[in-house]
Amino acid sequence: MKRFRRHGQESQRDRLKQELFQFSKTVEHGFPHQPSALGFSPSLQLLAIGTRSGAIKLYGAPGVEFMGLHEENAAVTQVHFLPHQVELVTLLDDNSLHMWTLRAHKGLSELLEIGRFTLTGPPGAPPSVTRVTAVLAHSSGELLLLGTEGGHVFVVEVPGFRELEERNISLDQVSSSVPDDYIGRRNLEHVEALQENPVNPNQVVIGYGRGLMVIWDLETQRAVQHIPATQQLESVWWTEDGSHILSSHSDGSYCRWSVGGEDSKDEEEKSDIPYGHFPCKAISKIVQLPTANGPPFLVFSGGMPRASYGDRHCISVIHSKTHVALDFTSRIIDFFVIRDGPQHTGDPSALVVLVEEELVVIDLQTEGWPVIQTPYLVPLHSSAITCSHHVSSIPLKLWERVIAAGELQLTHYSKKPWPITGGQNLAPDPPQRDLLLTGHEDGTVRFWDASGVCLYPMYKLSTAGVFHTDTDPNDNMNQGTEGEWPPFRKVGCFDPYSDDPRLGIQKIHLCKYSGYLIVAGTAGQILVLELNDEEAEQTVEAKVVDLLQGQEGFRWKGHTRLDVREEPVLFPPGFQPFALVQCQPPAVVTALTLHSEWKLVAFGTSHGFGLYDYQQKNNVFVKCTLNPSDQLAMEGPLSRVKSIKKSLRQSFRRIRRSRVSLRKHHVNNAAKLQEANARLEAELAEMELAPVQRKIEARSSDDSFTGLVRTLYFADTFLSDSSHNTPSLWAGTNGGSVFAYMLRLPPVEHRTDEPITAHPAKEIQLMHRAPVVGIVVLDGHGAPLPEPLEVAHDLSRSPDMQGSHHLLVVSEEQFKVFTLPKVSAKMKLKLTAIDGSRVRRVGVAWFGSSRSEDYGESGLVVLTNQGDVHVVSLPSVKMQVQYPCIRREDVSGIASCVFTKHGQGFYLISPSEFERFSLSTRCLVEPRCLVELPAHSASPTQHRPQPDGSSQLQSLSLTFLEADVGNNISALVLDMKWC
């Protein structure tokens, strides 16, 4: 009977787990790491980005996002949408072609791979014969033309990837038609470019690497015109009226060639070098688009004078008398131009540029050609991310004030709406307003709207203005000056250079009810800020706190503190600092918490912790936790990293000032440097938090960094006896110690003049001495205590102060519950004993039932060094569920993880991307979108122009083929017969 009852209870518990917990990775926020290819569909209004890791990402209107991943670990080199269809083709650097489609399923679109293909040459042929270098998706939607390294052009039928051998264009066919005086001087080399005649789909131009261009008729299978350029070819562009071809070349020139009539071999080559006469770099791509009532737009990338500006990444835009060289901060991958009108054949409206570290969109219809703010693909890593903080359920008033402050920072952006509008976002409106705050290496804190699929930038706070730094106002060589040639204009916000690494933000805490914000940095600085809707000029005085408390025999060998500006500083509307605490020694702040109702801030470093009263601007107390045998804590572990990073930054600043051509080599390595910096920071965090590989048994108290403060926690609970609750501060260290201080707060009417006092109340030393990573006090009902001011705003019930409270101490190796106020052990869960894991991140979350709106449970969310996520029940401290989340080798990803209050989480999968995941069945944020062909778009079954010039549809047969095409789905093949 007991066994039956126990089995029934277990079944009921399993059902409850299914209602509460479900793990899924939902969406990736930020900018794709190492982009390598760009595509755009005017008819679908979708943007596609391929990466070096084989990912393919599609973006439309805000909230419309798709992602696919090639099975091959190869870079995507080209992306092409089939005209007027929902298919696209990708080319990888392993020479494989892949067909993708957006298939509707249950009212939502899915990105699926439906086929793959690799060109095969004749037996014994070298690989260059079939190595694809150029791809043309024909306007018929049925053909792909593939130019190769061997100079051949293969014609492939899609979507089935069937090679049409009889229509291939061999190098011999082309060579035999080329005039002898040209072919005798050089070979043709590889196919560099393929372009279709906009007014005659029978004709394509084949551009060869050595410069020759051949206009080929697909129907008659012969060359109709030869264009004998003499410079190395980079790209071609056929003008919209079909009358001219533009070619760009490796010497920084471009040429305009007439099309039509007899062979124009005698036409004189007329080249224009926009930035000559000195040697220039190649113009890698050129585009010319007409306007209804004026001269055309000419857009090209590259072409800069090699000696003076060869290190610049530029796209030049010329229209009428306006000429601008847009100067980007990283290497240009590709660009395209969006046009007005329902058929997208009107005036150019926006220039979209993909560079290595960001996406930049230029408004071409507003005077000055301003940048359009991107609603997604924002470079999170414009300065390297150093920490993150998530705040759920932001009150509307605070939300609106943050938005208003952020809008004042966007006055230089275009007012035009986002020009990429494809698809429909069918996701429900977010149930709450969520903020993600990211701290950065340059001392900035960025506020992101994390409520939905798009991580949208709201506001940026800079703390550098409080301090004197090495910033040189003339350091930026990219800003153009009037009359300068070339006419440079810096665009983009990616700037990996930090003028002073001590500015880096390490900890953030925001109170959503009071609007107070606390940020702490690398050099022991803690800033207290409040939200102000008006600008204010004020002096920020530093309160220096000695965490060593006069202990002798210790000498700080790390970096110095930042110099605070003594003169008043004008702060813009937004969060403005009014108090500053400076720790001595100026070590990294490792723990931070805020109690806005008590007006208190607690902070900790590797030397100790302190309590600061920001209402009276006084320090309440300081506790030194430094172990006398711990000399490493005095060396300043950051100083070892800092010396390397500082020298690198100084080198970069010297390079930027000198304008020498060698800068290109270093800037190309900027991404590698930033990735290395991120890994150094992660390894440092591991070194600080876990300096040695721990064993399960108890450790020696002589271990390094035992005094490092890992966690701080405010609680109104029972410390002296079970009948009188009192405010308290709890601190946990790396050596397994827990300190509790009883706080006496004066009455409200005397809060401004009577001092707060603190007295040591409890001290716990864990037997195994594992680092303490979390502290939680549970009320009489076993629920975690509410946040400060949460009850006052009627957003939480008052904690139960009748029953006995419990203290939950989370170490890296176990969860242990103590009774209060006696602090006697009640129960524990040993995580290490289960699988040898160590706790790296911990947070409290609420999990609502998917079946009942009224039911939910609080749980402890835990991330381990194995990359697994666990949910532990409260107050029983039992393991609920366990899911693999992050690769155990991804140290920086584990170190960057942050949990939300509703069972979600974020972690960095690259320096520029957050992966979002959910453990909750109720709280999910994921793309839900639908892409359909627009009604006015030319359908594959309606009057599709054919290579023979006819467009009348005679018969159409539909055949469903069941085929294993990667996903074992049904592919719809259109078999068309034309007269």
Side-chain angles (χ1 to χ4, degrees):
M1 191 68 171
K2 288 182 180 179
R3 185 181 302 170
F4 178 77
R5 187 183 299 116
R6 186 162 54 248
H7 177 73
Q9 290 172 348
E10 290 175 355
S11 299
Q12 183 179 1
R13 187 62 205 166
D14 289 341
R15 287 195 299 270
L16 192 56
K17 286 181 183 179
Q18 293 175 5
E19 293 178 18
L20 296 175
F21 311 116
Q22 177 183 324
F23 179 79
S24 58
K25 294 183 179 180
T26 55
V27 66
E28 293 177 2
H29 297 300
F31 184 78
H33 185 49
Q34 296 182 327
S36 53
L38 176 69
F40 180 66
S41 169
S43 58
L44 297 178
Q45 279 289 294
L46 289 180
L47 162 81
I49 294 177
T51 72
R52 290 188 212 170
S53 61
I56 177 76
K57 299 188 176 187
L58 273 58
Y59 300 89
V64 177
E65 298 184 12
F66 302 92
M67 178 183 169
L69 188 64
H70 296 86
E71 290 182 5
E72 297 80 359
N73 186 20
V76 180
T77 57
Q78 296 187 43
V79 180
H80 299 273
F81 283 90
L82 300 188
H84 311 295
Q85 297 188 48
V86 291
E87 281 79 34
L88 67 153
V89 174
T90 55
L91 173 66
L92 306 190
D93 67 357
D94 65 358
N95 205 41
S96 62
L97 289 154
H98 300 256
M99 179 71 69
W100 298 81
T101 188
L102 288 166
R103 188 186 69 166
H105 177 65
K106 295 183 179 179
L108 299 175
S109 295
E110 301 174 310
L111 180 62
L112 298 171
E113 183 180 352
I114 59 171
R116 62 190 65 186
F117 172 74
T118 302
L119 275 178
T120 55
S128 61
V129 171
T130 55
R131 180 76 185 176
V132 179
T133 55
V135 178
L136 171 63
H138 194 267
S139 61
S140 64
E142 293 184 336
L143 301 177
L144 282 181
L145 275 69
L146 309 176
T148 68
E149 197 174 286
H152 307 282
V153 177
F154 293 83
V155 181
V156 175
E157 187 180 61
V158 289
F161 280 135
R162 184 171 68 90
E163 183 182 340
L164 304 178
E165 295 185 15
E166 69 281 2
R167 305 187 68 172
N168 289 344
I169 306 166
S170 71
L171 182 61
D172 292 339
Q173 286 177 278
V174 175
S175 299
S176 63
S177 66
V178 176
D180 291 338
D181 58 345
Y182 190 93
I183 195 67
R185 285 187 289 118
R186 63 187 73 226
N187 61 28
L188 301 183
E189 287 194 355
H190 63 280
V191 177
E192 182 66 49
L194 289 167
Q195 281 277 320
E196 181 179 340
N197 188 336
V199 297
N200 182 1
N202 287 320
Q203 292 184 353
V204 296
V205 60
I206 308 170
Y208 292 92
R210 280 297 179 90
L212 177 71
M213 288 163 280
V214 177
I215 298 178
W216 188 268
D217 190 291
L218 296 174
E219 177 62 24
T220 62
Q221 290 286 292
R222 67 179 185 89
V224 296
Q225 184 175 338
H226 299 86
I227 301 174
T230 57
Q231 288 293 334
Q232 189 83 18
L233 186 68
E234 294 288 327
S235 74
V236 299
W237 179 262
W238 210 320
T239 59
E240 191 171 77
D241 60 4
S243 62
H244 290 86
I245 287 176
L246 272 66
S247 61
S248 68
H249 301 276
S250 60
D251 64 345
S253 68
Y254 70 90
C255 305
R256 184 184 302 271
W257 310 88
S258 297
V259 175
E262 296 298 320
D263 199 328
S264 305
K265 67 178 181 179
D266 296 328
E267 180 182 355
E268 185 179 350
E269 184 175 355
K270 299 175 183 177
S271 66
D272 185 357
I273 305 179
Y275 300 111
H277 299 282
F278 297 105
C280 294
K281 297 196 70 177
I283 294 179
S284 57
K285 182 175 180 178
I286 190 165
V287 169
Q288 179 180 297
L289 294 171
T291 59
N293 302 308
F297 273 86
L298 183 66
V299 185
F300 59 87
S301 58
M304 288 292 118
R306 186 177 295 276
S308 303
Y309 305 108
D311 58 342
R312 300 292 185 98
H313 311 289
C314 293
I315 289 182
S316 300
V317 184
I318 304 172
H319 178 241
S320 187
K321 296 181 179 179
T322 306
H323 182 160
V324 173
L326 301 171
D327 187 7
F328 297 88
T329 57
S330 55
R331 184 175 64 89
I332 296 166
I333 305 297
D334 202 353
F335 69 88
F336 62 84
V337 178
I338 298 177
R339 304 176 66 179
D340 280 340
Q343 299 291 335
H344 313 290
T345 55
D347 286 358
S349 61
L351 170 65
V352 180
V353 184
L354 176 67
V355 296
E356 212 162 33
E357 304 293 351
E358 61 186 317
L359 184 81
V360 181
V361 180
I362 309 293
D363 177 3
L364 296 178
Q365 295 186 339
T366 301
E367 186 177 356
W369 296 339
V371 173
I372 300 175
Q373 174 71 54
T374 54
Y376 46 71
L377 290 172
V378 184
L380 307 176
H381 64 316
S382 51
S383 173
I385 294 175
T386 49
C387 66
S388 304
H389 176 64
H390 187 274
V391 188
S392 301
S393 305
I394 303 294
L396 179 60
K397 185 175 180 181
L398 176 64
W399 188 265
E400 291 175 340
R401 293 177 69 192
V402 172
I403 288 177
E407 286 176 345
L408 295 175
Q409 300 175 336
L410 302 178
T411 53
H412 59 289
Y413 282 98
S414 170
K415 300 295 187 288
K416 286 286 184 69
W418 182 243
I420 300 172
T421 58
Q424 305 170 52
N425 180 13
L426 302 179
D429 292 334
Q432 60 196 29
R433 294 171 292 273
D434 289 352
L435 272 179
L436 180 67
L437 282 67
T438 53
H440 296 263
E441 194 179 40
D442 62 355
T444 58
V445 178
R446 296 166 198 249
F447 289 62
W448 307 88
D449 178 356
S451 312
V453 171
C454 292
L455 195 65
Y456 188 78
M458 296 176 64
Y459 166 73
K460 182 174 79 170
L461 162 71
S462 176
T463 63
V466 179
F467 308 100
H468 290 286
T469 64
D470 298 333
T471 306
D472 180 358
N474 300 315
D475 194 26
N476 193 343
M477 63 175 270
N478 291 314
Q479 280 302 111
T481 57
E482 190 172 348
E484 181 184 15
W485 186 260
F488 291 118
R489 190 185 116 203
K490 182 181 177 182
V491 288
C493 60
F494 176 71
D495 184 9
Y497 309 102
S498 174
D499 293 295
D500 195 328
R502 297 174 297 173
L503 289 169
I505 305 298
Q506 297 296 328
K507 296 291 177 183
I508 306 171
H509 197 109
L510 171 68
C511 175
K512 61 187 177 185
Y513 304 112
S514 64
Y516 284 109
L517 173 68
I518 316 294
V519 297
T522 302
Q525 72 272 24
I526 299 109
L527 279 167
V528 187
L529 308 97
E530 62 181 337
L531 191 55
N532 192 343
D533 299 328
E534 305 292 333
E535 67 178 14
E537 188 175 30
Q538 58 197 38
T539 303
V540 182
E541 295 183 6
K543 178 70 174 179
V544 179
V545 176
D546 181 13
L547 289 173
L548 294 181
Q549 295 184 296
Q551 290 198 36
E552 297 181 359
F554 292 97
R555 186 169 63 88
W556 173 248
K557 301 177 184 177
H559 48 259
T560 59
R561 54 178 279 193
L562 286 161
D563 295 326
V564 182
R565 294 183 184 271
E566 297 178 356
E567 69 277 9
V569 179
L570 182 64
F571 295 104
F575 284 94
Q576 299 171 349
F578 68 90
L580 169 63
V581 180
Q582 178 61 56
C583 298
Q584 283 291 92
V588 176
V589 177
T590 57
L592 185 73
T593 190
L594 162 72
H595 200 297
S596 50
E597 189 173 358
W598 300 342
K599 304 289 194 297
L600 296 175
V601 174
F603 53 90
T605 72
S606 55
H607 307 120
F609 61 94
L611 183 65
Y612 179 74
D613 177 357
Y614 62 81
Q615 184 168 7
Q616 295 185 15
K617 296 187 178 179
N618 281 326
N619 199 54
V620 179
F621 79 93
V622 169
K623 167 68 175 176
C624 179
T625 58
L626 188 65
N627 189 319
S629 64
D630 190 359
Q631 287 296 327
L632 277 178
M634 298 307 297
E635 291 182 7
L638 265 185
S639 63
R640 300 192 290 275
V641 180
K642 177 203 164 195
S643 60
I644 302 170
K645 294 169 70 177
K646 183 178 180 182
S647 64
L648 287 170
R649 286 190 188 88
Q650 288 173 344
S651 298
F652 276 114
R653 282 200 292 273
R654 283 196 298 271
I655 292 166
R656 286 198 292 169
R657 292 190 186 107
S658 65
R659 298 191 183 191
V660 295
S661 60
L662 286 174
R663 179 177 181 272
K664 179 184 178 183
H665 171 73
H666 290 280
V667 173
N668 283 346
N669 286 329
K672 295 179 182 177
L673 169 63
Q674 186 168 342
E675 192 172 345
N677 282 348
R679 181 160 289 279
L680 280 171
E681 296 287 1
E683 290 173 356
L684 170 66
E686 285 292 299
M687 180 177 62
E688 281 190 330
L689 306 184
V692 294
Q693 183 65 37
R694 288 176 300 281
K695 300 177 181 179
I696 295 179
E697 61 265 16
R699 268 162 272 175
S700 166
S701 61
D702 294 334
D703 284 353
S704 300
F705 293 105
T706 55
L708 185 143
V709 179
R710 293 287 295 271
T711 184
L712 292 161
Y713 181 75
F714 285 111
D716 189 354
T717 187
F718 302 96
L719 276 180
S720 57
D721 57 64
S722 57
S723 58
H724 298 90
N725 58 295
T726 179
S728 62
L729 172 66
W730 300 76
T733 73
N734 217 42
S737 298
V738 177
F739 301 94
Y741 277 73
M742 189 183 302
L743 309 178
R744 193 195 69 81
L745 276 62
V748 177
E749 59 271 17
H750 298 293
R751 177 65 180 83
T752 56
D753 46 31
E754 288 188 17
I756 294 176
T757 59
H759 307 283
K762 306 286 182 184
E763 183 173 341
I764 306 170
Q765 178 61 60
L766 300 180
M767 295 295 292
H768 57 301
R769 298 185 182 275
V772 177
V773 296
I775 296 173
V776 180
V777 172
L778 307 175
D779 70 6
H781 291 306
L785 296 183
E787 295 181 15
L789 296 175
E790 193 172 12
V791 175
H793 285 76
D794 296 325
L795 295 172
S796 175
R797 65 174 179 82
S798 298
D800 178 19
M801 309 302 283
Q802 303 302 317
S804 60
H805 285 197
H806 291 85
L807 172 70
L808 171 60
V809 177
V810 182
S811 76
E812 284 194 349
E813 297 175 2
Q814 70 178 17
F815 310 87
K816 197 165 188 177
V817 178
F818 299 86
T819 60
L820 289 176
K822 292 184 178 181
V823 193
S824 56
K826 184 178 180 181
M827 65 182 81
K828 63 183 176 183
L829 171 65
K830 290 186 178 180
L831 181 70
T832 301
I834 299 173
D835 57 5
S837 298
R838 304 285 190 271
V839 176
R840 284 289 178 262
R841 288 285 183 271
V842 64
V844 176
W846 174 260
F847 295 93
S849 170
S850 59
R851 295 187 180 181
S852 172
E853 288 288 330
D854 301 326
Y855 183 76
E857 292 182 4
S858 286
L860 206 62
V861 187
V862 178
L863 175 69
T864 72
N865 63 339
Q866 307 294 318
D868 296 335
V869 178
H870 303 253
V871 178
V872 178
S873 64
L874 294 175
S876 59
V877 195
K878 292 182 179 179
M879 194 66 69
Q880 297 280 71
V881 289
Q882 174 183 350
Y883 304 103
C885 181
I886 310 174
R887 291 182 302 107
R888 60 181 300 177
E889 301 83 12
D890 187 2
V891 176
S892 57
I894 293 173
S896 67
C897 184
V898 59
F899 294 120
T900 78
K901 298 292 185 183
H902 294 90
Q904 296 188 76
F906 300 81
Y907 68 93
L908 289 171
I909 54 174
S910 75
S912 59
E913 295 170 286
F914 274 113
E915 176 85 71
R916 187 175 191 143
F917 63 89
S918 175
L919 296 161
S920 170
T921 56
R922 186 188 293 183
C923 192
L924 275 175
V925 174
E926 58 184 348
R928 296 176 60 84
C929 34
L930 178 65
V931 173
E932 297 176 306
L933 279 171
H936 59 261
S937 176
S939 167
T941 62
Q942 296 176 347
H943 308 289
R944 177 182 288 162
Q946 287 300 296
D948 63 358
S950 64
S951 62
Q952 183 180 2
L953 178 65
Q954 181 180 9
S955 65
L956 170 69
S957 63
L958 299 180
T959 308
F960 283 96
L961 298 179
E962 285 290 341
D964 185 2
V965 285
N967 290 282
N968 196 24
I969 65 168
S970 298
L972 174 62
V973 179
L974 303 179
D975 179 21
M976 302 180 186
K977 299 177 181 177
W978 307 85
C979 64

